[in-house]
Amino acid sequence: MENNKDWIKAGKIAAEALDYACSLVKPGASLLEVTNKTESKIEKLGGKCAFPVQFSINDLAAHYTASFDDKTKFKKGDLVKADVGVQVNGAIGDNARTVDLGNNKKLVESSLAALNEAVKIIKEGTKLHEIGSVIGKTISSKGFKPIKNLSGHLIERYAEHAGFNVPNYNNKDTTALEEGMVIAIEPFATDGSGMIKEGKKSGIYAIVNDKNVRDNISREILGFIKEEYSTLPFCKRQLLKQFSEFKVSFAIKTLIINGIIREYDQLPEVGKGLVSQAEYTVMVEKEGCKILTQC
Ligand code: MN
Ligand code: MN
């Protein structure tokens, strides 16, 4: 990769911020407060959010970020996926862990074991279906199901999902890894049906088609988004630190209607099963891989 320093720094900050986030997830703690603290921590450490910090609870697998007025509190019994991404000059470290506030130790262990088994076989030449197969088998051997329509991904500068997916089951994809590639590996395990669907709107957006808008408000906010987030995901809560609610709501509506930004959906498990997740970002090497998201 062109400049490994940025990737190493982004990974380190992402890992430290994830540790910090997980230490704050306790029964009674406010999801919004923990989110704000984690995002401040990322900045203090010299990074930027690669996407809004996410805490997806129980049967929600991914894509929950706090709204600006979020009242959610973590509760005893919750299974919380903390997902933290950091960028340094567009180089991204993406990592996630599950905090168990209930009695789901085995489910949490199964996604983590799958991640660790996957890391063992990653090197130049490893085929994507081999990674998927190891992940799927590890989760099944613990009595759970991998979520088949969620996957890891190739990462490039300013591109969180840059090309191929890294499957969580044997999908027969014979694409081979190359030295220097940065990939996120993220097994999800569930006691439900093993699929997610599109749920409620998440309040998380990203630019999909950069073109001009006519009105001043939308143009001003689009300029800020491009400067601050480029094509990476952002949310309304982040924009409200700079602009009034009227301006932000107006601009988001206009930018969506014009096809300039799109909104992501929350991703609940189809069978309402509990979901655990574990994720590292790794760099592929000749004889193995380096876990970038480590403190
Ligand atoms: Mn992630
Ligand atoms: Mn990811």
Side-chain angles (χ1 to χ4, degrees):
M1 267 275 141
E2 347 87 272
N3 182 356
N4 284 355
K5 253 171 54 186
D6 289 344
W7 294 93
I8 289 165
K9 185 174 174 188
K12 272 208 162 89
I13 296 173
E16 200 172 331
L18 179 63
D19 257 1
Y20 178 68
C22 291
S23 76
L24 300 175
V25 174
K26 300 212 164 82
S30 146
L31 188 149
L32 175 60
E33 252 178 63
V34 176
T35 303
N36 283 332
K37 282 184 178 169
T38 305
E39 292 182 351
S40 301
K41 181 77 163 183
I42 289 169
E43 283 167 26
K44 258 185 240 153
L45 293 170
K48 283 180 164 187
C49 290
F51 50 80
V53 167
Q54 298 174 22
F55 294 101
S56 304
I57 301 175
N58 297 337
D59 66 318
L60 215 52
H63 292 180
Y64 187 96
T65 197
S67 60
F68 73 98
D69 57 353
D70 209 300
K71 299 282 188 287
T72 308
K73 286 194 184 340
F74 297 112
K75 295 190 305 289
K76 195 165 178 264
D78 279 350
L79 191 64
V80 184
K81 278 74 63 190
D83 198 338
V84 173
V86 169
Q87 62 121 328
V88 173
N89 299 318
I92 297 167
D94 180 8
N95 65 167
R97 197 186 303 161
T98 304
V99 182
D100 180 16
L101 301 179
N103 197 12
N104 293 290
K105 202 170 160 212
K106 285 194 171 141
L107 181 56
V108 173
E109 279 171 1
S110 71
S111 48
L112 185 59
L115 176 60
N116 287 327
E117 290 304 313
V119 163
K120 285 183 196 166
I121 66 157
I122 292 173
K123 58 179 182 151
E124 186 179 59
T126 302
K127 295 189 170 70
L128 294 178
H129 74 83
E130 296 174 318
I131 302 173
S133 179
V134 162
I135 289 173
K137 279 183 187 158
T138 305
I139 292 173
S140 302
S141 76
K142 311 263 179 202
F144 299 102
K145 289 177 182 158
I147 294 188
K148 287 188 167 183
N149 56 347
L150 283 173
S151 49
H153 43 98
L154 180 68
I155 301 176
E156 286 173 358
R157 236 174 242 267
Y158 289 109
E160 161 85 351
H161 293 259
F164 58 70
N165 289 329
V166 182
N168 289 328
Y169 69 104
N170 181 356
N171 70 346
K172 312 275 198 287
D173 188 337
T174 55
T175 305
L177 298 178
E178 293 166 22
E179 187 184 6
M181 280 179 167
V182 176
I183 55 174
I185 315 293
E186 49 182 313
F188 289 81
T190 184
D191 59 3
S193 59
M195 296 284 281
I196 49 95
K197 59 182 180 184
E198 290 174 350
K200 295 179 194 160
K201 294 288 176 202
S202 70
I204 301 169
Y205 308 87
I207 293 179
V208 283
N209 185 4
D210 180 13
K211 46 183 189 183
N212 290 329
V213 263
R214 277 160 169 257
D215 72 275
N216 289 333
I217 294 176
S218 304
R219 199 183 310 137
E220 184 189 6
I221 290 186
L222 180 60
F224 177 82
I225 293 167
K226 284 201 276 191
E227 178 73 29
E228 199 66 20
Y229 308 107
S230 183
T231 50
L232 295 172
F234 61 92
C235 67
K236 192 171 167 182
R237 173 173 51 74
Q238 293 171 316
L239 298 178
L240 287 170
K241 290 179 187 163
Q242 297 291 324
F243 303 101
S244 71
E245 201 191 342
F246 170 78
K247 276 189 169 184
V248 169
S249 298
F250 176 86
I252 284 178
K253 224 163 112 187
T254 310
L255 294 172
I256 284 194
I257 289 169
N258 285 282
I260 296 171
I261 63 172
R262 79 160 180 115
E263 183 170 8
Y264 293 84
D265 294 311
Q266 295 178 2
L267 302 174
E269 214 281 325
V270 167
K272 294 195 164 65
L274 291 170
V275 178
S276 75
Q277 177 200 17
E279 177 179 29
Y280 292 144
T281 297
V282 309
M283 186 175 279
V284 180
E285 296 177 330
K286 270 224 156 359
E287 296 302 333
C289 70
K290 189 204 299 289
I291 299 173
L292 294 173
T293 45
Q294 263 178 348
C295 293

